[in-house]
Amino acid sequence: MIRQLFRSRSWRVHTQTPQQPNGLRCLSSLSDRSSTPSLPTEANVVVIGGGIIGTSVAYHLGKLGVQDVVLLERDKLTSGTTWHAAGLINTFGSLSATSTAMRKYTKELYSKILPEETGMSCGFMPIGFIELACDEDRLAYYRRVAAFNRLCGVEVDEISAALVKDKCPVIETSDVLAGFYVADDGRANPTDATMALAKGARQNGVQIFEGVSVSGVSTSQDNASCLPQVSGITLDSGDVINASAVVNCAGMWARQLGEKSGLVIPNQAAEHYYLITEPFKEVDPTWPVVEDSSRCVYIRPEGGGLMLGLFELEGAPWNPTNIPESFSFGEINPDWERMGPYLEEAMKRVPITENLGAKTFFCGPESFTPDGNPIVGESADIRNYYVAAGLNSIGILTGGGIGSILAQWIRDKAPPGQFDVTGIDATRFHRYQNNPRYRAERVGETLGNTYKVHFPDKQPKTCRNAKRSALHDRLAQQNAFFRDVSGWESPSWYSPIGPATVEKQSFDRENWFPYWEEEHRACRENVALFDMSFMSKFLVTGCDAGRILNRMSTANVDGESGLITYTQWLNDRGGMEADLTITKLDDLTFLVIVTDTQHNQVATKMRRQISVGDNVSILDVTGSYCQINIQGPQSRALLQSLTHQDMSNAAFPFRKVAEIDIGYARVIVARITYVGELGYELFIPTESAVHVYDLINECGKQHDLKHAGLRALGSLRMEKGYRDYGHDMDNTDALLEVGLGFTCDFSTNFVGMESVLEYKQRAKSEGGLKKRLAQVFVEDPRVMLHHGEVLWRNGKRIGEVRSASYGHSLGGAVGLTMLESNEPIKKSYITGASWEIEIGNEMVPCSVSTSPLYDPKNEKIRV
């Protein structure tokens, strides 16, 4: 049926495809390319890849004054995926402040900055952008997004179906509930933008060479770190360019290039389709871009006709084993049968296209990542090896922002403090995620998520059961609902009435809300068991272990043995980099515990701090120990019934750690909590975990023990105001701003200490902190908070809810937000103001507190 849309089967159009390169070519002058300088033998930074991302990184490095930058493109600029990109520029759509900022800057770069600096147009047309909401779930979601985007400075209007029709008459609007319209969004020409970036880079001293293929990156070793560092690159010709830093911007080839150096860069090409109709007289080139996620289509004018771009609900990976080196400007044979239903649905949104001929039905590769976020920053295993890849089909849209962030990162050797990079950090992925099967299965789901509603508890369906706790089968018998936690299967909640199922995803209460409440209250009022085996665990040993960890930590972690210490790790500028606990087991042995999402970042940071001559070893023991947390007022009584160790407050005070007996096992127990109650964390050798669990479960019957999942953990910690790095605090925050100054021991001369002291003195001279993390609480019990809701003070937007949950003990939704003001944030700033939270289109009264809303004096945890 779909084939009948085309006048003939020879439908491909190659008018955009440049000629293949013929040997080395240097873009020393975009207006005069007659000269062909020789390749340099020395460079400061070598950028590999001449698409939109590589040219952006090179341009921004040059603009920052970084000297001796060389860009190498194996074919011609724009080859790979840039040349066939649709070029949509829509600042609307993200609940990430970083992504929104990148989009806004990129639009300004294409529309103003580059044309002014280079005299070249980027083909930017501010024709507008409309996101259609055609069902209630999308309407609720886009209202949340719109509120957040307005906070970020995007002028988005909710418009009626009639106004959508007025702005784009060919759109069928009978089922449209609303449109979300940004008047000055639109489209750019990817090739023009790339060439303008290249010219801007050249104007700032960057050399750009085409037809130069890199075969590998060379490294060297010095005494400063046990990690190797970049020393240069080797070309297919055998030539070598010595370099201090390399930037892998090789697009869909980035993974393969990284693998040659042993790096994990799990981007994967997937098929992306668009149809271009033949011209018709009614088309108006000023019609806005229209996106309808319910029909998996975006629509914009193109060449006198329309472009209908498709993001299917289940995408198709392309060549997960190996991307052909020669596929520079190629096309993929389309899958007619699979795409037919999507085209039919898309054409229902634009009925006129059903009677038009098709000029082309294009299929080309786009790179996607396992979590849908780009891969940006310094690699985990090689110093000064940087990456910018895996743009998930928004490389043109965010290319300027990506280039700006990474250029600052390279210059300063640290991520820019004004952007939260925790979600895009190149070190976040695990090695198994680079496996061909994993990438092949996960990338289709990632592409499919592009146009799905992002419900707060949405879970991936592919690549499940990659990692299981030794307790998994036991917990399944308890009717656990498992969620993916960095590849681990971990209980989110438990069903007391049979197999755990989600009836319908929602932004409101779901069917399992009562089960969650029972688990929460059991921990507050009695005792609960949490399987926390997914937590990352590192055994750090050696004569220099204590000295190195103490230098890295804000707290003194090398004091008395048998103590667990909560601490932070900062960078040289005082920026936050990790939130963790360190237990000193003995003078030579330390146990470092960090959340799953910071596994690689913490391991990498430790390795970067170790010099060649240091006597220290780092062993990842995450899978060697199961972690069971026993938390709640009756946790001591339960644990005492299992061991001969005296668990009284006098013998086992808060922060004490000891190895105790439980049945036939030896278990490391730490008295610590993340829920705000008396509690213990048990680290059990995996081979003994089921035995210990069975004993706890059996004895727990006498104490009415209840299993609890991560949903309860989240609501309990949120009531207490406990922090979670990467969610409610990140690298943009200072230690004092997030209320963690108490972790500092200024006698240890920790990394970043001078910056903390300077900040402390500045705040004192200004009368107090002007940026503070605080809790928000909504008294209306019907309201749910998730994240991204907008906080208002005295009728003005001032911030977002960074993370949130439902406080079952408090009786309403509770979250954490960062307050920022031009005046010191003291009690009067809070109590003397009117506070509201914007949730979609609704304004809800709330209260704000800089002290914990639950047990502010910490009496319960020390009982």
Side-chain angles (χ1 to χ4, degrees):
M1 176 179 177
I2 293 299
R3 285 181 183 261
Q4 296 174 1
L5 296 169
F6 298 90
R7 301 282 173 88
S8 71
R9 293 190 181 183
S10 58
W11 46 267
R12 287 198 184 94
V13 178
H14 298 275
T15 54
Q16 300 179 75
T17 307
Q19 297 297 311
Q20 297 298 309
N22 184 17
L24 170 67
R25 188 158 66 92
C26 174
L27 296 190
S28 58
S29 170
L30 292 180
S31 58
D32 178 9
R33 298 174 178 171
S34 58
S35 59
T36 308
S38 300
L39 278 168
T41 59
E42 303 279 342
N44 183 12
V45 182
V46 174
V47 180
I48 305 171
I52 194 73
I53 301 302
T55 54
S56 179
V57 171
Y59 163 80
H60 286 95
L61 283 170
K63 197 167 183 180
L64 289 175
V66 178
Q67 299 297 308
D68 299 321
V69 178
V70 173
L71 185 150
L72 304 178
E73 164 53 46
R74 54 176 292 279
D75 201 318
K76 284 189 175 182
L77 297 185
T78 76
S79 70
T81 61
T82 296
W83 72 274
H84 64 71
L88 306 187
I89 304 297
N90 54 293
T91 53
F92 173 84
S94 176
L95 280 173
S96 161
T98 299
S99 180
T100 304
M102 290 193 296
R103 295 174 185 215
K104 290 176 59 185
Y105 169 69
T106 301
K107 181 168 72 173
E108 182 182 12
L109 183 69
Y110 296 162
S111 62
K112 297 178 182 178
I113 298 173
L114 283 173
E116 291 175 359
E117 290 181 353
T118 68
M120 295 180 67
S121 170
C122 296
F124 179 72
M125 299 175 61
I127 55 179
F129 173 86
I130 301 175
E131 182 73 59
L132 301 182
C134 301
D135 55 61
E136 293 295 339
D137 285 338
R138 283 178 169 80
L139 181 62
Y141 176 62
Y142 292 139
R143 282 176 171 170
R144 286 174 171 268
V145 173
F148 178 80
N149 286 174
R150 293 183 192 110
L151 171 69
C152 297
V154 178
E155 296 182 7
V156 52
D157 295 319
E158 182 176 334
I159 63 176
S160 66
L163 194 50
V164 171
K165 188 77 170 179
D166 181 65
K167 293 183 179 298
C168 191
V170 295
I171 297 294
E172 169 56 48
T173 60
S174 60
D175 61 339
V176 173
L177 302 179
F180 293 85
Y181 175 58
V182 182
D184 60 354
D185 279 356
R187 53 178 290 195
N189 184 307
T191 297
D192 290 350
T194 303
M195 295 305 175
L197 285 165
K199 183 175 182 180
R202 180 189 60 80
Q203 290 176 171
N204 286 292
V206 177
Q207 293 187 76
I208 300 177
F209 295 88
E210 294 179 304
V212 180
S213 184
V214 175
S215 60
V217 176
S218 56
T219 62
S220 62
Q221 187 76 55
D222 59 26
N223 293 327
S225 172
C226 65
L227 287 178
Q229 64 182 0
V230 166
S231 61
I233 55 102
T234 303
L235 307 179
D236 280 355
S237 63
D239 293 330
V240 173
I241 300 178
N242 297 319
S244 301
V246 162
V247 193
N248 183 342
C249 300
M252 59 182 170
W253 294 279
R255 174 185 55 80
Q256 291 165 202
L257 179 61
E259 284 177 342
K260 294 180 180 180
S261 300
L263 302 183
V264 176
I265 308 173
N267 65 323
Q268 172 59 50
E271 296 178 6
H272 177 54
Y273 292 83
Y274 55 73
L275 178 144
I276 299 176
T277 72
E278 289 189 339
F280 60 101
K281 63 180 181 180
E282 294 88 352
V283 73
D284 185 339
T286 66
W287 284 344
V289 177
V290 177
E291 194 169 78
D292 178 11
S293 63
S294 67
R295 296 185 188 270
C296 306
V297 64
Y298 61 84
I299 303 140
R300 70 163 175 81
E302 173 65 30
L306 291 177
M307 172 186 284
L308 276 63
L310 305 171
F311 281 100
E312 59 268 38
L313 298 177
E314 294 183 6
W318 184 68
N319 283 343
T321 302
N322 184 71
I323 303 296
E325 293 289 337
S326 60
F327 196 87
S328 295
F329 296 97
E331 301 178 23
I332 302 170
N333 289 326
D335 186 334
W336 295 88
E337 298 305 319
R338 187 170 68 86
M339 298 308 298
Y342 289 101
L343 276 173
E344 292 176 13
E345 285 299 307
M347 289 178 172
K348 290 178 182 178
R349 182 58 62 201
V350 197
I352 194 172
T353 59
E354 295 177 350
N355 299 314
L356 294 173
K359 184 178 179 181
T360 185
F361 185 41
F362 178 85
C363 179
E366 291 277 4
S367 290
F368 289 81
T369 63
D371 60 5
N373 290 330
I375 306 171
V376 181
E378 190 175 12
S379 72
D381 299 311
I382 301 176
R383 290 177 292 153
N384 298 328
Y385 189 124
Y386 295 89
V387 182
L391 274 297
N392 302 280
S393 205
I394 57 172
I396 308 303
L397 173 59
T398 60
I402 293 286
S404 176
I405 288 175
L406 189 55
Q408 294 176 64
W409 201 325
I410 295 167
R411 180 195 63 180
D412 301 335
K413 297 187 179 299
Q418 68 271 35
F419 298 104
D420 172 14
V421 300
T422 55
I424 64 176
D425 189 341
T427 65
R428 70 188 186 275
F429 291 112
H430 297 258
R431 194 159 294 277
Y432 78 94
Q433 292 177 291
N434 224 28
N435 290 1
R437 179 177 174 182
Y438 182 94
R439 287 183 284 102
E441 294 180 7
R442 178 55 66 87
V443 72
E445 184 175 16
T446 302
L447 184 150
N449 286 336
T450 304
Y451 277 172
K452 291 179 181 176
V453 178
H454 297 174
F455 291 107
D457 285 278
K458 181 177 175 57
Q459 283 293 296
K461 296 180 180 179
T462 58
C463 305
R464 297 299 297 266
N465 297 304
K467 301 177 185 178
R468 285 186 173 187
S469 158
L471 307 178
H472 182 276
D473 291 346
R474 291 289 200 270
L475 303 179
Q477 292 172 8
Q478 297 288 334
N479 297 321
F481 181 84
F482 292 99
R483 65 182 301 171
D484 182 309
V485 181
S486 297
W488 289 87
E489 296 295 320
S490 188
S492 183
W493 47 270
Y494 294 82
S495 170
I497 57 172
T501 58
V502 175
E503 294 176 359
K504 184 182 184 300
Q505 293 188 86
S506 172
F507 293 100
D508 297 319
R509 299 186 181 192
E510 297 185 15
N511 63 291
W512 45 267
F513 185 93
Y515 316 153
W516 169 23
E517 180 177 7
E518 289 177 8
E519 295 169 21
H520 178 109
R521 294 193 181 280
C523 187
R524 282 277 182 256
E525 300 164 9
N526 190 43
V527 61
L529 178 153
F530 300 83
D531 177 26
M532 301 292 290
S533 299
F534 63 85
M535 292 291 288
S536 297
K537 313 168 193 73
F538 300 94
L539 201 62
V540 184
T541 59
C543 297
D544 294 313
R547 173 183 60 83
I548 292 171
L549 290 174
N550 226 24
R551 168 71 174 147
M552 297 174 68
S553 304
T554 57
N556 183 1
V557 300
D558 192 21
E560 181 183 347
S561 295
L563 284 181
I564 185 171
T565 302
Y566 176 56
T567 189
Q568 304 294 305
W569 286 354
L570 312 177
N571 60 31
D572 292 334
R573 300 180 305 177
M576 299 184 67
E577 291 200 343
D579 172 72
L580 63 163
T581 63
I582 299 178
T583 298
K584 184 176 182 180
L585 297 174
D586 59 46
D587 286 343
L588 301 178
T589 311
F590 296 80
L591 184 62
V592 176
I593 309 293
V594 67
T595 187
D596 59 291
T597 56
Q598 288 290 296
H599 182 108
N600 289 332
Q601 291 89 329
V602 163
T604 298
K605 190 168 178 65
M606 286 192 288
R607 290 190 296 157
R608 287 174 179 166
Q609 291 292 322
I610 298 173
S611 300
V612 172
D614 290 332
N615 185 303
V616 62
S617 171
I618 303 169
L619 181 64
D620 181 358
V621 294
T622 302
S624 300
Y625 289 89
C626 275
Q627 180 178 339
I628 296 177
N629 289 9
I630 305 296
Q631 301 283 322
Q634 296 302 309
S635 58
R636 178 185 290 131
L638 171 57
L639 204 54
Q640 188 65 79
S641 68
L642 291 161
T643 182
H644 293 88
Q645 168 74 42
D646 183 356
M647 301 303 297
S648 67
N649 191 49
F652 214 104
F654 183 65
R655 291 183 58 208
K656 179 179 175 63
V657 179
E659 184 180 89
I660 70 171
D661 67 292
I662 296 181
Y664 307 135
R666 302 298 296 178
V667 178
I668 298 173
V669 175
R671 183 178 165 187
I672 199 75
T673 183
Y674 191 54
V675 299
E677 301 291 342
L678 170 68
Y680 305 86
E681 296 181 355
L682 282 61
F683 301 96
I684 312 160
T686 300
E687 65 270 20
S688 302
V690 172
H691 167 64
V692 172
Y693 168 83
D694 287 343
L695 290 174
I696 294 173
N697 207 30
E698 184 61 32
C699 290
K701 294 176 182 177
Q702 304 172 31
H703 300 273
D704 198 22
L705 172 71
K706 193 170 189 66
H707 287 66
L710 293 180
R711 257 307 192 166
L713 185 84
S715 56
L716 291 160
R717 75 100 177 173
M718 192 60 66
E719 288 186 331
K720 183 64 176 165
Y722 285 149
R723 281 55 165 150
D724 186 1
Y725 186 81
H727 294 278
D728 30 64
M729 60 182 186
D730 54 57
N731 62 284
T732 67
D733 303 317
L735 193 71
L736 302 181
E737 296 167 349
V738 296
L740 297 179
F742 70 88
T743 67
C744 291
D745 185 335
F746 293 108
S747 69
T748 61
N749 193 30
F750 57 84
V751 173
M753 186 178 78
E754 290 184 3
S755 296
V756 175
L757 289 172
E758 290 174 3
Y759 192 104
K760 187 176 183 180
Q761 182 60 40
R762 184 169 67 252
K764 182 178 180 180
S765 66
E766 294 176 348
L769 295 169
K770 297 181 179 180
K771 182 180 176 184
R772 296 185 68 177
L773 195 66
Q775 284 180 290
V776 294
F777 175 66
V778 178
E779 292 185 2
D780 186 341
R782 301 169 300 171
V783 174
M784 297 290 289
L785 294 178
H786 304 294
H787 76 94
E789 297 88 356
V790 178
L791 180 66
W792 292 64
R793 179 180 184 268
N794 294 337
K796 295 182 179 180
R797 302 181 183 91
I798 68 161
E800 63 170 305
V801 176
R802 289 187 171 185
S803 59
S805 189
Y806 193 89
H808 299 284
S809 303
L810 298 176
V814 60
L816 284 166
T817 185
M818 183 61 76
L819 305 176
E820 295 188 58
S821 174
N822 294 323
E823 63 181 274
I825 299 173
K826 298 184 177 181
K827 184 177 180 180
S828 59
Y829 176 88
I830 294 173
T831 59
S834 172
W835 299 90
E836 295 175 293
I837 293 179
E838 184 180 8
I839 306 173
N841 283 11
E842 184 180 3
M843 301 298 292
V844 179
C846 68
S847 59
V848 174
S849 174
T850 54
S851 299
L853 294 172
Y854 181 82
D855 188 27
K857 296 182 179 180
N858 290 332
E859 296 172 338
K860 293 182 179 294
I861 65 176
R862 299 178 184 273
V863 65

